[in-house]
Amino acid sequence: MSSRAEKAGESFRNVLRWMREHHEFVSKSIPLIASENVPSPAVREALASDLGNRYAEGYPGERLYAGCRWIDKIETLGVELAKEVYGAEYADLRPISGVMANISAYTAFAKPGDVMVALAVPHGGHISHGKHEWGGTAGLVRGLQVERYEFDYERMNIDVDGTRRRLEQLEREEGKRPRLFMLGASVFLFPHPVKEVAGLAAEYGAKVVYDAAHVAGLIAGKRFQDPLREGADAVTMSTHKTLAGPQHGMLLSWKRYEEDFKRVMFPGLHSNHHLHAVAGVTIALAEAMAFYEEYAARIIENAKSLAEFLVEEGLDVLYGELGFTESHQVLVDVSRYMGGRDAELLLESAGIIVNRNLIPKDYKLKTDHRNPSGIRLGTQEVTRLGMEREEMREIARFMGRVLVRKDDPSRVAREVAEFRKSYRKVRYAFANAVEAYEYITLSGHS
Ligand SMILES: Cc1ncc(COP(=O)(O)O)c(C=O)c1O
Protein backbone atom coordinates (compact mmCIF):
# COMPACT_ATOMS: atom_id res chain seq x y z
CA MET A 1 0.00 0.00 0.00
CA SER A 2 1.26 3.53 -0.78
CA SER A 3 2.29 5.70 2.12
CA ARG A 4 -0.46 8.16 1.07
CA ALA A 5 -3.11 5.43 1.38
CA GLU A 6 -1.62 4.31 4.70
CA LYS A 7 -1.68 7.88 5.99
CA ALA A 8 -5.30 8.26 4.88
CA GLY A 9 -6.36 5.04 6.63
CA GLU A 10 -4.48 5.90 9.79
CA SER A 11 -5.91 9.43 9.85
CA PHE A 12 -9.42 8.06 9.45
CA ARG A 13 -8.95 5.60 12.33
CA ASN A 14 -7.32 8.23 14.52
CA VAL A 15 -10.11 10.78 14.18
CA LEU A 16 -12.74 8.18 15.03
CA ARG A 17 -10.70 6.92 17.98
CA TRP A 18 -10.03 10.43 19.31
CA MET A 19 -13.71 11.33 19.10
CA ARG A 20 -14.55 8.28 21.22
CA GLU A 21 -11.78 9.15 23.66
CA HIS A 22 -13.11 12.69 23.93
CA HIS A 23 -16.53 11.29 24.87
CA GLU A 24 -14.94 9.04 27.46
CA PHE A 25 -12.97 11.97 28.89
CA VAL A 26 -16.03 14.24 29.13
CA SER A 27 -18.15 11.54 30.74
CA LYS A 28 -15.58 11.19 33.54
CA SER A 29 -15.18 14.93 34.18
CA ILE A 30 -17.09 17.63 35.99
CA PRO A 31 -17.90 20.18 33.22
CA LEU A 32 -17.89 23.71 34.66
CA ILE A 33 -17.08 25.84 31.60
CA ALA A 34 -19.70 28.59 31.65
CA SER A 35 -20.05 28.83 27.87
CA GLU A 36 -20.84 25.18 27.14
CA ASN A 37 -23.59 22.67 27.74
CA VAL A 38 -24.72 19.19 26.86
CA PRO A 39 -27.61 19.23 24.37
CA SER A 40 -30.48 16.79 24.50
CA PRO A 41 -30.34 13.55 22.47
CA ALA A 42 -32.96 15.05 20.11
CA VAL A 43 -30.67 18.01 19.38
CA ARG A 44 -27.84 15.57 18.65
CA GLU A 45 -30.20 13.70 16.30
CA ALA A 46 -30.84 16.96 14.42
CA LEU A 47 -27.10 17.53 14.07
CA ALA A 48 -26.63 14.10 12.50
CA SER A 49 -29.51 14.56 10.04
CA ASP A 50 -29.39 15.28 6.27
CA LEU A 51 -30.39 18.89 6.95
CA GLY A 52 -26.73 19.65 7.47
CA ASN A 53 -26.03 18.89 3.81
CA ARG A 54 -28.58 21.30 2.29
CA TYR A 55 -28.97 24.96 1.39
CA ALA A 56 -31.97 27.21 1.98
CA GLU A 57 -30.85 30.73 1.09
CA GLY A 58 -33.25 33.45 2.22
CA TYR A 59 -35.86 33.69 4.97
CA PRO A 60 -38.50 30.93 5.31
CA GLY A 61 -41.15 31.54 2.63
CA GLU A 62 -38.71 33.69 0.58
CA ARG A 63 -36.19 31.00 -0.47
CA LEU A 64 -33.91 31.00 -3.48
CA TYR A 65 -33.41 27.23 -3.38
CA ALA A 66 -35.60 24.25 -4.22
CA GLY A 67 -36.09 21.22 -1.98
CA CYS A 68 -36.92 23.24 1.13
CA ARG A 69 -40.42 21.99 1.95
CA TRP A 70 -39.47 20.34 5.28
CA ILE A 71 -36.72 22.80 6.04
CA ASP A 72 -39.25 25.65 5.69
CA LYS A 73 -41.62 23.97 8.14
CA ILE A 74 -38.83 23.52 10.68
CA GLU A 75 -37.38 27.02 10.40
CA THR A 76 -40.83 28.66 10.38
CA LEU A 77 -41.65 26.77 13.58
CA GLY A 78 -38.28 27.79 15.06
CA VAL A 79 -38.99 31.45 14.31
CA GLU A 80 -42.47 31.14 15.86
CA LEU A 81 -41.13 29.49 19.03
CA ALA A 82 -38.31 32.03 19.36
CA LYS A 83 -40.83 34.89 19.14
CA GLU A 84 -43.01 33.25 21.76
CA VAL A 85 -40.24 32.26 24.19
CA TYR A 86 -38.61 35.72 24.10
CA GLY A 87 -41.61 37.93 23.32
CA ALA A 88 -39.96 39.20 20.10
CA GLU A 89 -41.69 40.61 17.00
CA TYR A 90 -38.86 39.43 14.74
CA ALA A 91 -36.69 36.35 15.15
CA ASP A 92 -33.90 35.16 12.89
CA LEU A 93 -32.33 31.71 13.27
CA ARG A 94 -29.78 32.24 10.51
CA PRO A 95 -26.71 33.56 12.36
CA ILE A 96 -24.38 30.58 12.51
CA SER A 97 -22.87 31.69 15.86
CA GLY A 98 -23.11 34.32 18.55
CA VAL A 99 -20.31 36.33 16.93
CA MET A 100 -22.16 36.30 13.59
CA ALA A 101 -25.32 37.49 15.35
CA ASN A 102 -23.28 40.39 16.77
CA ILE A 103 -21.80 41.24 13.37
CA SER A 104 -25.36 41.28 11.96
CA ALA A 105 -26.36 43.84 14.58
CA TYR A 106 -23.24 45.96 13.97
CA THR A 107 -24.00 45.88 10.25
CA ALA A 108 -27.70 46.72 10.58
CA PHE A 109 -27.27 49.50 13.14
CA ALA A 110 -23.87 51.12 12.44
CA LYS A 111 -21.33 51.77 9.75
CA PRO A 112 -17.52 51.76 9.77
CA GLY A 113 -16.13 54.63 11.82
CA ASP A 114 -19.19 54.88 14.09
CA VAL A 115 -18.71 54.85 17.85
CA MET A 116 -19.94 51.81 19.81
CA VAL A 117 -19.90 51.64 23.61
CA ALA A 118 -19.10 48.23 25.13
CA LEU A 119 -17.65 46.60 28.23
CA ALA A 120 -13.88 46.07 28.33
CA VAL A 121 -12.87 42.39 28.40
CA PRO A 122 -11.57 42.38 32.03
CA HIS A 123 -14.92 43.90 33.01
CA GLY A 124 -16.67 40.92 31.42
CA GLY A 125 -16.95 42.07 27.79
CA HIS A 126 -16.56 39.63 24.91
CA ILE A 127 -13.83 39.96 22.31
CA SER A 128 -16.51 40.25 19.60
CA HIS A 129 -17.45 43.62 21.20
CA GLY A 130 -13.80 44.66 21.20
CA LYS A 131 -11.49 47.28 19.76
CA HIS A 132 -9.46 46.99 16.57
CA GLU A 133 -6.12 46.99 18.41
CA TRP A 134 -7.13 43.92 20.41
CA GLY A 135 -8.38 42.05 17.36
CA GLY A 136 -11.95 42.62 18.54
CA THR A 137 -14.65 41.87 15.97
CA ALA A 138 -16.44 45.22 16.27
CA GLY A 139 -13.23 47.13 15.57
CA LEU A 140 -11.34 44.77 13.29
CA VAL A 141 -14.18 43.42 11.18
CA ARG A 142 -16.82 46.17 11.18
CA GLY A 143 -14.44 49.12 11.67
CA LEU A 144 -16.32 50.54 14.66
CA GLN A 145 -14.59 52.81 17.14
CA VAL A 146 -15.14 51.08 20.48
CA GLU A 147 -15.37 53.16 23.65
CA ARG A 148 -15.63 51.41 26.99
CA TYR A 149 -18.32 51.80 29.63
CA GLU A 150 -17.19 53.18 32.96
CA PHE A 151 -17.28 50.28 35.37
CA ASP A 152 -18.58 49.99 38.92
CA TYR A 153 -16.11 47.57 40.55
CA GLU A 154 -18.19 47.21 43.70
CA ARG A 155 -21.29 46.10 41.87
CA MET A 156 -19.57 44.27 38.97
CA ASN A 157 -21.72 46.28 36.62
CA ILE A 158 -21.91 49.21 34.22
CA ASP A 159 -21.60 52.68 35.75
CA VAL A 160 -24.19 54.57 33.69
CA ASP A 161 -23.54 58.04 35.16
CA GLY A 162 -19.77 57.66 34.74
CA THR A 163 -20.33 56.54 31.16
CA ARG A 164 -22.55 59.57 30.48
CA ARG A 165 -19.74 61.86 31.66
CA ARG A 166 -17.20 59.99 29.55
CA LEU A 167 -19.36 60.33 26.44
CA GLU A 168 -19.94 64.04 27.05
CA GLN A 169 -16.16 64.44 27.18
CA LEU A 170 -15.75 62.44 23.93
CA GLU A 171 -18.22 64.75 22.21
CA ARG A 172 -16.57 67.89 23.61
CA GLU A 173 -13.03 66.81 22.71
CA GLU A 174 -13.50 64.81 19.52
CA GLY A 175 -16.98 65.78 18.34
CA LYS A 176 -18.02 62.10 18.32
CA ARG A 177 -21.39 60.71 19.37
CA PRO A 178 -22.17 57.01 19.95
CA ARG A 179 -24.36 55.14 17.45
CA LEU A 180 -24.57 51.85 19.31
CA PHE A 181 -24.56 50.63 22.92
CA MET A 182 -23.65 46.97 23.41
CA LEU A 183 -24.84 45.19 26.56
CA GLY A 184 -24.39 41.63 27.76
CA ALA A 185 -21.14 39.96 28.72
CA SER A 186 -18.99 36.85 28.97
CA VAL A 187 -18.57 37.32 32.70
CA PHE A 188 -22.15 38.09 33.54
CA LEU A 189 -23.03 37.75 37.20
CA PHE A 190 -25.74 40.40 37.55
CA PRO A 191 -28.39 41.80 35.17
CA HIS A 192 -27.29 44.87 33.24
CA PRO A 193 -29.02 48.27 33.60
CA VAL A 194 -30.74 47.99 30.20
CA LYS A 195 -33.39 50.61 30.96
CA GLU A 196 -30.84 53.22 32.08
CA VAL A 197 -28.56 52.53 29.12
CA ALA A 198 -31.54 52.73 26.74
CA GLY A 199 -32.32 56.14 28.27
CA LEU A 200 -28.74 57.27 27.64
CA ALA A 201 -28.81 55.86 24.09
CA ALA A 202 -32.02 57.80 23.40
CA GLU A 203 -30.18 61.05 24.18
CA TYR A 204 -27.92 60.27 21.20
CA GLY A 205 -30.51 58.61 18.96
CA ALA A 206 -28.35 55.45 19.28
CA LYS A 207 -29.41 51.78 19.23
CA VAL A 208 -29.07 49.26 22.06
CA VAL A 209 -28.06 45.65 21.42
CA TYR A 210 -28.08 43.09 24.23
CA ASP A 211 -25.79 40.08 23.80
CA ALA A 212 -27.56 37.24 25.61
CA ALA A 213 -25.04 34.56 24.55
CA HIS A 214 -24.51 33.46 28.14
CA VAL A 215 -27.90 34.04 29.66
CA ALA A 216 -30.25 33.04 26.80
CA GLY A 217 -31.55 29.99 28.69
CA LEU A 218 -32.04 31.97 31.90
CA ILE A 219 -34.03 34.63 30.02
CA ALA A 220 -36.08 31.89 28.33
CA GLY A 221 -36.84 30.54 31.81
CA LYS A 222 -37.80 34.05 32.98
CA ARG A 223 -35.16 34.03 35.72
CA PHE A 224 -32.79 36.79 34.64
CA GLN A 225 -33.93 39.99 32.92
CA ASP A 226 -36.11 40.74 29.91
CA PRO A 227 -33.94 42.90 27.64
CA LEU A 228 -36.52 43.54 24.90
CA ARG A 229 -39.07 44.85 27.41
CA GLU A 230 -36.36 46.89 29.18
CA GLY A 231 -35.44 48.79 26.00
CA ALA A 232 -33.10 46.75 23.76
CA ASP A 233 -33.52 47.24 20.01
CA ALA A 234 -32.10 43.78 19.33
CA VAL A 235 -30.92 40.73 21.26
CA THR A 236 -28.15 38.50 19.94
CA MET A 237 -27.11 35.13 21.32
CA SER A 238 -25.30 31.86 21.03
CA THR A 239 -27.74 28.98 21.34
CA HIS A 240 -25.49 26.48 23.10
CA LYS A 241 -24.64 27.90 26.51
CA THR A 242 -27.52 28.13 29.01
CA LEU A 243 -29.98 27.55 26.13
CA ALA A 244 -28.38 24.10 25.60
CA GLY A 245 -29.08 23.86 21.90
CA PRO A 246 -26.51 23.14 19.18
CA GLN A 247 -23.61 25.51 18.47
CA HIS A 248 -25.36 28.26 16.51
CA GLY A 249 -26.66 31.82 16.89
CA MET A 250 -29.93 33.73 16.90
CA LEU A 251 -31.15 37.32 16.68
CA LEU A 252 -34.34 38.81 18.10
CA SER A 253 -35.72 42.23 17.39
CA TRP A 254 -38.75 44.34 16.54
CA LYS A 255 -40.90 44.46 13.40
CA ARG A 256 -39.53 47.93 12.56
CA TYR A 257 -36.07 46.47 11.94
CA GLU A 258 -37.21 43.35 10.07
CA GLU A 259 -36.17 44.47 6.58
CA ASP A 260 -32.78 45.74 7.79
CA PHE A 261 -31.95 42.39 9.37
CA LYS A 262 -33.26 40.31 6.48
CA ARG A 263 -30.92 42.12 4.07
CA VAL A 264 -27.95 41.79 6.43
CA MET A 265 -28.43 38.05 7.07
CA PHE A 266 -28.81 37.21 3.39
CA PRO A 267 -27.20 38.05 1.05
CA GLY A 268 -25.03 40.08 3.42
CA LEU A 269 -23.57 37.62 5.91
CA HIS A 270 -24.74 34.09 5.19
CA SER A 271 -25.31 31.84 2.28
CA ASN A 272 -25.75 28.46 3.92
CA HIS A 273 -27.00 28.86 7.50
CA HIS A 274 -26.45 25.34 8.90
CA LEU A 275 -29.93 23.87 8.70
CA HIS A 276 -29.19 20.91 10.98
CA ALA A 277 -28.38 23.46 13.70
CA VAL A 278 -31.58 25.39 12.90
CA ALA A 279 -33.54 22.18 13.59
CA GLY A 280 -31.53 21.72 16.80
CA VAL A 281 -32.28 25.26 17.94
CA THR A 282 -35.99 24.66 17.27
CA ILE A 283 -35.88 21.56 19.47
CA ALA A 284 -34.03 23.48 22.20
CA LEU A 285 -36.68 26.23 22.05
CA ALA A 286 -39.42 23.64 22.53
CA GLU A 287 -37.50 22.25 25.52
CA ALA A 288 -37.13 25.79 26.85
CA MET A 289 -40.90 26.33 26.63
CA ALA A 290 -41.57 23.13 28.51
CA PHE A 291 -38.80 22.94 31.09
CA TYR A 292 -36.68 26.05 31.48
CA GLU A 293 -38.54 27.89 34.22
CA GLU A 294 -37.47 25.03 36.46
CA TYR A 295 -34.08 24.46 34.80
CA ALA A 296 -33.04 28.13 34.97
CA ALA A 297 -34.10 28.43 38.62
CA ARG A 298 -32.07 25.35 39.52
CA ILE A 299 -29.00 26.60 37.62
CA ILE A 300 -28.97 29.85 39.61
CA GLU A 301 -29.59 28.08 42.95
CA ASN A 302 -26.71 25.75 42.16
CA ALA A 303 -24.40 28.65 41.27
CA LYS A 304 -25.14 30.33 44.60
CA SER A 305 -24.63 27.04 46.48
CA LEU A 306 -21.37 26.30 44.69
CA ALA A 307 -20.07 29.79 45.56
CA GLU A 308 -21.04 29.36 49.21
CA PHE A 309 -19.32 25.97 49.50
CA LEU A 310 -16.18 27.19 47.71
CA VAL A 311 -15.86 29.95 50.33
CA GLU A 312 -16.08 27.25 53.03
CA GLU A 313 -13.19 25.53 51.26
CA GLY A 314 -11.07 28.69 51.60
CA LEU A 315 -11.46 30.06 48.08
CA ASP A 316 -12.01 33.75 47.32
CA VAL A 317 -15.32 33.85 45.50
CA LEU A 318 -16.08 37.36 44.28
CA TYR A 319 -19.15 39.44 45.14
CA GLY A 320 -20.28 37.50 48.23
CA GLU A 321 -21.76 40.74 49.59
CA LEU A 322 -24.10 40.78 46.56
CA GLY A 323 -25.07 37.11 46.92
CA PHE A 324 -22.20 36.01 44.58
CA THR A 325 -24.29 35.79 41.41
CA GLU A 326 -27.73 36.03 39.83
CA SER A 327 -26.75 33.86 36.85
CA HIS A 328 -25.12 30.50 36.10
CA GLN A 329 -21.65 31.93 36.70
CA VAL A 330 -19.33 32.07 39.68
CA LEU A 331 -16.10 34.09 39.60
CA VAL A 332 -13.20 32.98 41.78
CA ASP A 333 -10.02 34.95 42.47
CA VAL A 334 -7.37 32.22 42.81
CA SER A 335 -4.38 34.59 42.96
CA ARG A 336 -3.84 33.90 46.68
CA TYR A 337 -2.86 30.34 45.68
CA MET A 338 -1.70 30.51 42.05
CA GLY A 339 -2.49 32.06 38.67
CA GLY A 340 -5.67 31.27 36.77
CA ARG A 341 -3.77 29.27 34.14
CA ASP A 342 -2.17 27.01 36.76
CA ALA A 343 -5.52 26.55 38.49
CA GLU A 344 -7.12 25.57 35.17
CA LEU A 345 -4.39 23.02 34.42
CA LEU A 346 -4.36 21.54 37.90
CA LEU A 347 -8.13 21.20 37.97
CA GLU A 348 -8.13 19.57 34.55
CA SER A 349 -5.70 16.95 35.79
CA ALA A 350 -8.23 16.27 38.55
CA GLY A 351 -11.07 15.90 36.00
CA ILE A 352 -12.64 19.29 36.74
CA ILE A 353 -12.93 21.43 33.62
CA VAL A 354 -13.01 25.22 34.14
CA ASN A 355 -11.50 28.19 32.34
CA ARG A 356 -9.02 30.82 33.50
CA ASN A 357 -10.49 34.30 33.33
CA LEU A 358 -9.58 37.93 33.71
CA ILE A 359 -11.35 39.40 36.70
CA PRO A 360 -12.05 43.11 37.29
CA LYS A 361 -8.89 43.76 39.33
CA ASP A 362 -6.80 42.54 36.35
CA TYR A 363 -7.83 45.69 34.46
CA LYS A 364 -6.03 47.89 37.00
CA LEU A 365 -3.15 45.44 37.51
CA LYS A 366 -2.73 44.99 33.73
CA THR A 367 -2.33 41.25 34.34
CA ASP A 368 -1.25 39.13 31.38
CA HIS A 369 -4.45 37.61 29.97
CA ARG A 370 -2.64 34.28 29.55
CA ASN A 371 -2.34 33.88 33.30
CA PRO A 372 -5.12 36.01 34.82
CA SER A 373 -6.11 36.13 38.49
CA GLY A 374 -9.33 34.21 38.21
CA ILE A 375 -11.30 31.23 37.07
CA ARG A 376 -14.89 31.36 35.82
CA LEU A 377 -17.32 28.56 36.64
CA GLY A 378 -20.78 27.78 35.27
CA THR A 379 -23.40 25.45 36.73
CA GLN A 380 -25.60 25.03 33.63
CA GLU A 381 -24.14 21.69 32.48
CA VAL A 382 -23.92 19.96 35.85
CA THR A 383 -27.50 21.11 36.53
CA ARG A 384 -28.59 19.59 33.22
CA LEU A 385 -27.08 16.31 34.45
CA GLY A 386 -29.39 16.44 37.48
CA MET A 387 -27.03 17.81 40.13
CA GLU A 388 -28.36 19.83 43.06
CA ARG A 389 -27.12 21.52 46.25
CA GLU A 390 -25.45 18.44 47.77
CA GLU A 391 -23.54 17.81 44.56
CA MET A 392 -22.37 21.44 44.61
CA ARG A 393 -20.92 20.76 48.07
CA GLU A 394 -19.12 17.71 46.65
CA ILE A 395 -17.72 19.67 43.67
CA ALA A 396 -16.50 22.47 45.97
CA ARG A 397 -14.75 19.85 48.12
CA PHE A 398 -12.96 18.38 45.10
CA MET A 399 -11.86 21.87 44.07
CA GLY A 400 -10.73 22.79 47.58
CA ARG A 401 -8.63 19.62 47.75
CA VAL A 402 -6.88 20.48 44.50
CA LEU A 403 -6.43 24.24 44.82
CA VAL A 404 -6.16 24.85 48.55
CA ARG A 405 -4.98 21.62 50.15
CA LYS A 406 -2.82 20.51 47.19
CA ASP A 407 -4.10 16.95 47.23
CA ASP A 408 -2.78 14.67 44.47
CA PRO A 409 -4.88 15.58 41.38
CA SER A 410 -4.77 12.06 39.94
CA ARG A 411 -6.33 10.70 43.14
CA VAL A 412 -9.04 13.34 42.95
CA ALA A 413 -9.58 12.49 39.25
CA ARG A 414 -10.36 8.86 40.17
CA GLU A 415 -12.93 10.01 42.73
CA VAL A 416 -14.39 12.52 40.27
CA ALA A 417 -14.87 9.74 37.68
CA GLU A 418 -16.62 7.60 40.33
CA PHE A 419 -18.83 10.54 41.39
CA ARG A 420 -19.80 11.23 37.76
CA LYS A 421 -21.17 7.70 37.27
CA SER A 422 -24.43 8.68 38.95
CA TYR A 423 -25.13 11.55 36.49
CA ARG A 424 -25.49 10.17 33.01
CA LYS A 425 -28.77 11.45 31.59
CA VAL A 426 -29.72 14.84 30.21
CA ARG A 427 -32.55 16.40 32.21
CA TYR A 428 -35.01 19.08 31.07
CA ALA A 429 -35.47 17.30 27.73
CA PHE A 430 -38.40 15.45 26.12
CA ALA A 431 -36.74 12.19 25.08
CA ASN A 432 -33.72 10.34 26.33
CA ALA A 433 -32.85 7.16 24.44
CA VAL A 434 -29.09 7.65 24.88
CA GLU A 435 -26.92 8.86 27.73
CA ALA A 436 -25.63 12.42 27.88
CA TYR A 437 -22.19 11.72 26.42
CA GLU A 438 -22.86 8.38 24.79
CA TYR A 439 -20.87 7.99 21.58
CA ILE A 440 -23.14 7.24 18.64
CA THR A 441 -21.60 5.48 15.66
CA LEU A 442 -22.91 5.83 12.13
CA SER A 443 -19.80 4.49 10.38
CA GLY A 444 -19.92 1.12 12.11
CA HIS A 445 -16.19 1.50 12.72
CA SER A 446 -15.21 0.66 16.27
C1 LIG B 1 -20.98 37.50 25.40
C2 LIG B 1 -20.60 36.58 24.29
N1 LIG B 1 -20.96 36.89 23.05
C3 LIG B 1 -20.64 36.10 22.00
C4 LIG B 1 -19.92 34.95 22.20
C5 LIG B 1 -19.49 34.13 21.01
O1 LIG B 1 -20.39 33.20 20.69
P1 LIG B 1 -20.09 32.10 19.57
O2 LIG B 1 -19.00 31.25 20.09
O3 LIG B 1 -21.41 31.41 19.46
O4 LIG B 1 -19.72 32.82 18.31
C6 LIG B 1 -19.53 34.57 23.47
C7 LIG B 1 -18.77 33.31 23.65
O5 LIG B 1 -18.57 32.77 24.67
C8 LIG B 1 -19.87 35.42 24.55
O6 LIG B 1 -19.46 35.13 25.79
Side-chain angles (χ1 to χ4, degrees):
M1 219 192 312
S2 75
S3 70
R4 198 174 161 82
E6 271 171 30
K7 181 169 182 189
E10 191 187 337
S11 303
F12 171 77
R13 287 188 296 280
N14 274 343
V15 178
L16 288 168
R17 179 162 58 84
W18 293 335
M19 287 197 292
R20 277 181 193 274
E21 286 178 5
H22 173 80
H23 276 249
E24 183 77 13
F25 162 72
V26 178
S27 64
K28 287 184 177 163
S29 325
I30 295 175
L32 291 175
I33 298 227
S35 55
E36 301 177 350
N37 213 326
V38 56
S40 66
V43 169
R44 291 175 66 197
E45 190 169 320
L47 294 181
S49 74
D50 178 69
L51 294 167
N53 312 318
R54 304 297 152 199
Y55 272 84
E57 286 179 346
Y59 199 66
E62 305 167 13
R63 302 291 196 203
L64 298 180
Y65 260 72
C68 296
R69 72 179 73 168
W70 303 110
I71 293 166
D72 276 355
K73 280 182 189 291
I74 293 167
E75 193 168 333
T76 302
L77 178 61
V79 166
E80 185 188 319
L81 296 187
K83 286 182 184 171
E84 191 167 334
V85 167
Y86 292 102
E89 290 177 359
Y90 176 72
D92 205 310
L93 273 60
R94 288 175 294 176
I96 56 170
S97 69
V99 168
M100 288 300 283
N102 284 341
I103 298 176
S104 337
Y106 304 155
T107 311
F109 287 155
K111 50 184 194 324
D114 282 348
V115 173
M116 178 176 104
V117 188
L119 272 177
V121 170
H123 297 158
H126 187 251
I127 193 65
S128 65
H129 310 174
K131 284 176 185 280
H132 184 279
E133 47 271 49
W134 297 107
T137 313
L140 187 69
V141 179
R142 186 56 180 154
L144 301 181
Q145 178 184 329
V146 181
E147 292 293 328
R148 65 174 173 81
Y149 285 106
E150 280 301 317
F151 191 67
D152 181 341
Y153 284 82
E154 276 169 20
R155 308 198 68 74
M156 181 69 200
N157 219 319
I158 291 165
D159 169 1
V160 181
D161 290 337
T163 304
R164 176 179 276 106
R165 288 193 291 277
R166 194 179 163 75
L167 293 174
E168 284 166 359
Q169 188 184 355
L170 184 75
E171 188 167 9
R172 254 194 330 273
E173 291 175 2
E174 296 182 40
K176 290 186 173 157
R177 292 164 60 84
R179 291 281 306 165
L180 191 57
F181 287 75
M182 200 67 192
L183 292 166
S186 296
V187 180
F188 206 175
L189 301 178
F190 306 107
H192 277 170
V194 182
K195 199 162 157 231
E196 292 75 5
V197 170
L200 177 58
E203 294 171 26
Y204 291 97
K207 300 286 192 302
V208 177
V209 176
Y210 182 103
D211 181 341
H214 266 271
V215 292
L218 307 182
I219 294 173
K222 304 188 179 0
R223 305 287 177 178
F224 198 63
Q225 63 186 145
D226 187 353
L228 285 172
R229 246 60 46 205
E230 291 168 36
D233 293 294
V235 172
T236 58
M237 64 181 74
S238 307
T239 50
H240 45 270
K241 306 182 198 295
T242 52
L243 189 58
Q247 290 193 331
H248 197 70
M250 186 155 72
L251 179 130
L252 309 165
S253 189
W254 302 101
K255 189 92 189 139
R256 60 185 181 277
Y257 303 122
E258 175 167 341
E259 291 312 316
D260 300 331
F261 279 116
K262 279 187 174 171
R263 202 166 53 87
V264 166
M265 295 299 177
F266 176 80
L269 290 172
H270 303 86
S271 171
N272 142 32
H273 57 278
H274 300 185
L275 302 163
H276 53 330
V278 169
V281 171
T282 306
I283 292 167
L285 287 166
E287 289 168 349
M289 278 175 98
F291 307 113
Y292 277 26
E293 286 196 22
E294 192 194 332
Y295 176 41
R298 187 51 58 78
I299 290 173
I300 298 165
E301 276 165 30
N302 279 347
K304 286 176 179 287
S305 301
L306 180 61
E308 184 189 319
F309 294 130
L310 287 169
V311 170
E312 285 179 15
E313 294 296 318
L315 283 155
D316 299 324
V317 184
L318 299 185
Y319 300 105
E321 60 288 5
L322 301 178
F324 300 109
T325 183
E326 292 301 328
S327 76
H328 59 306
Q329 294 186 5
V330 173
L331 202 53
V332 186
D333 180 349
V334 291
S335 60
R336 186 146 63 99
Y337 302 103
M338 64 193 82
R341 180 192 51 192
D342 298 330
E344 178 189 288
L345 293 173
L346 207 54
L347 286 167
E348 178 169 346
S349 57
I352 302 165
I353 314 300
V354 310
N355 71 278
R356 70 188 89 167
N357 223 99
L358 290 165
I359 58 175
K361 77 176 192 188
D362 288 324
Y363 186 79
K364 291 179 181 160
L365 295 173
K366 299 200 181 342
T367 319
D368 184 345
H369 69 276
R370 285 165 295 190
N371 196 11
S373 304
I375 54 173
R376 183 188 65 170
L377 314 174
T379 53
Q380 70 294 339
E381 189 163 348
V382 288
T383 306
R384 198 142 162 96
L385 293 173
M387 297 192 198
E388 299 184 5
R389 187 170 163 83
E390 273 317 299
E391 288 80 2
M392 297 306 110
R393 189 195 300 274
E394 202 60 45
I395 293 173
R397 273 200 200 121
F398 286 134
M399 291 181 65
R401 280 170 59 188
V402 176
L403 298 178
V404 180
R405 295 191 289 289
K406 307 287 176 351
D407 210 345
D408 172 14
S410 55
R411 195 163 78 199
V412 177
R414 285 193 292 279
E415 292 177 39
V416 163
E418 201 49 42
F419 164 77
R420 278 288 281 101
K421 283 186 181 159
S422 312
Y423 309 95
R424 311 191 76 86
K425 289 271 185 194
V426 172
R427 308 297 162 105
Y428 312 103
F430 284 110
N432 243 324
V434 295
E435 290 187 351
Y437 307 99
E438 193 169 325
Y439 188 81
I440 300 166
T441 179
L442 299 178
S443 68
H445 184 87
S446 59

